Amino acid sequence: MAFRTAFKSGGRTVNAWFPRHMARGVLAIKGKLRNVDCVVEVHDARISFPCRNPLFKEELDVRPRLLLLNKADLISVDDQHRILVELAAQGETNVLFTDCLQQLHHSVKQVAPAVCKLILSAPRHHREEANDYSIMVVGIPNVGKSSLINALRRINLKKGKGSLVGATPGITKSVLTRIRVSENPPISVLDTPGVMKPQIDAFDVGMKLAVCGTILDHLVGEDMIADYLLFVLNKCRIFKYVEYYELPAASDDIWSVLKHIAVRMGKTQKMKALTGIGKITMHRPDYNFAANEFLRSFRGGLLGKVVFD
Ligand SMILES: Nc1nc2c(ncn2[C@@H]2O[C@H](COP(=O)(O)OP(=O)(O)OP(=O)(O)O)[C@@H](O)[C@H]2O)c(=O)[nH]1
Ligand SMILES: [Mg+2]
């Protein structure tokens, strides 16, 4: 079967999402930099390249920087190797893949030693006397910054959550107070709000950011995000959704896929309609529920591993 080779937006666009808390966040991040030994940029491993916010590299480069490509559980090991090679070619060598969801995952255990190594290899300026290490976690929304802090606490201190986590972007709204994540060596972390670029350069970049849940869904439109996801899954020939939702076959028609999901999950809405033979009750599939369900399953890793860049 032939699938779409290009995505048609039908004239719809993806607007930048840069609410006031992000503008305030940028100022607060820059303001706190003086008391920070290392910046850890957390990003989503599925969108490793054009979807990053260059602000973190350009404006925070006065401190050693570690790039963590999180949600590594959602991409294949082969893709991880390929991404590392491409990043190294771009001069980005301090890179680790992490999975913060699995309890005590070995990938998170590498973070504290990597941070310490970076801090010890660079001058600490006026912080030379400070006997604890201070790191700041930055990144675009919903990539797992707060989850990383909680995972570090769990692994190094055997302690519970220090920062609020959520499946929607924009959970952390301000730079938080220091959170202790390790005693030996002593490391404290500043959690920060996810910050987007104030403008989105290309439609494709916006859609990738949206599929990965970094922009509030309703700002882009759940149906368009679901359609973009279907387009990518089909283009990459990842047909796990067919089996998962027991569809008769792969399809490039989002409305028929969403209808099938809604009916299968019993999500239809009763509607009264006036016809030539009088008032009748019709059952309309809840397309919005189905689009949200499709996106939730994908984001939870149930529909296959995809790299968008
Ligand atoms: N699959 C997977 N999901 C993750 C991972 N880390 C975090 N998540 C999920 O990603 C979502 C966002 O996590 P948060 O830690 O709140 O992300 P954040 O970057 O702090 O988000 P904001 O504060 O909104 O900017 C949550 O649903 C987490 O459960 C990971 O390694 N793998
Ligand atoms: Mg957060």
Side-chain angles (χ1 to χ4, degrees):
M1 183 173 170
F3 294 105
R4 288 173 286 182
T5 50
F7 184 79
K8 292 201 176 80
S9 68
R12 295 209 274 176
T13 54
V14 185
N15 294 325
W17 181 46
F18 197 73
R20 206 174 310 157
H21 82 260
M22 290 192 196
R24 276 199 310 262
V26 174
L27 294 178
I29 287 170
K30 287 188 199 165
K32 298 273 181 187
L33 198 56
R34 203 179 133 72
N35 292 321
V36 160
D37 296 303
C38 178
V39 173
V40 174
E41 179 186 346
V42 181
H43 193 70
D44 189 317
R46 296 167 296 175
I47 42 173
S48 302
F49 299 99
C51 296
R52 275 171 68 196
N53 186 346
L55 170 100
F56 304 126
K57 191 171 178 185
E58 289 159 7
E59 305 255 356
L60 311 180
D61 227 20
V62 289
R63 291 287 180 272
R65 200 166 51 89
L66 177 66
L67 172 62
L68 296 187
L69 293 173
N70 192 38
K71 308 199 181 185
D73 51 304
L74 300 179
I75 72 170
S76 70
V77 175
D78 282 351
D79 279 326
Q80 292 183 19
H81 290 314
R82 186 179 53 76
I83 290 168
L84 278 185
V85 171
E86 281 183 44
L87 283 171
Q90 294 175 10
E92 196 90 59
T93 46
N94 299 322
V95 186
L96 292 175
F97 284 96
T98 49
D99 170 358
C100 293
L101 274 201
Q102 281 189 55
Q103 292 273 328
L104 314 181
H105 197 256
H106 59 85
S107 61
V108 181
K109 290 185 184 157
Q110 303 169 282
V111 175
V115 162
C116 293
K117 196 171 156 205
L118 275 175
I119 294 173
L120 291 174
S121 64
R124 286 182 80 193
H125 307 289
H126 69 287
R127 286 189 49 80
E128 212 66 62
E129 302 297 312
N131 47 20
D132 68 320
Y133 295 144
S134 166
I135 62 179
M136 180 154 68
V137 175
V138 298
I140 63 170
N142 214 29
V143 290
K145 300 178 292 300
S146 304
S147 302
L148 168 78
I149 293 172
N150 293 337
L152 286 170
R153 270 172 74 82
R154 207 158 54 217
I155 282 177
N156 298 313
L157 296 179
K158 317 268 177 291
K159 282 200 175 157
K161 288 182 180 164
S163 192
L164 199 65
V165 163
T168 49
I171 295 286
T172 310
K173 289 242 171 357
S174 58
V175 177
L176 302 185
T177 48
R178 284 178 198 289
I179 301 168
R180 185 64 104 181
V181 296
S182 162
E183 289 300 349
N184 188 22
I187 303 177
S188 302
V189 184
L190 283 174
D191 197 1
T192 68
V195 177
M196 280 290 189
K197 269 209 302 186
Q199 68 286 324
I200 287 178
D201 317 316
F203 176 76
D204 231 34
V205 170
M207 290 313 297
K208 290 171 186 177
L209 286 164
V211 173
C212 292
T214 67
I215 304 178
L216 287 170
D217 288 341
H218 71 268
L219 296 180
V220 181
E222 289 86 347
D223 56 338
M224 184 160 77
I225 309 176
D227 193 20
Y228 188 81
L229 172 59
L230 184 66
F231 156 71
V232 173
L233 291 175
N234 286 336
K235 197 166 73 132
C236 300
R237 308 215 153 260
I238 298 170
F239 298 125
K240 227 171 158 180
Y241 71 92
V242 177
E243 182 193 331
Y244 186 77
Y245 290 114
E246 295 173 354
L247 282 151
S251 164
D252 233 355
D253 174 12
I254 189 63
W255 298 110
S256 75
V257 171
L258 294 183
K259 182 177 176 184
H260 182 95
I261 294 173
V263 171
R264 188 173 166 273
M265 301 190 82
K267 292 287 177 185
T268 53
Q269 297 160 331
K270 270 190 192 165
M271 282 174 55
K272 297 250 186 268
L274 194 60
T275 67
I277 52 164
K279 260 192 182 173
I280 58 163
T281 304
M282 294 194 336
H283 290 268
R284 181 182 183 275
D286 187 341
Y287 289 106
N288 203 47
F289 169 87
N292 278 311
E293 155 62 30
F294 189 47
L295 292 174
R296 202 168 35 242
S297 300
F298 170 71
R299 290 169 185 162
L302 300 172
L303 305 184
K305 298 188 176 196
V306 182
V307 164
F308 289 90
D309 285 339

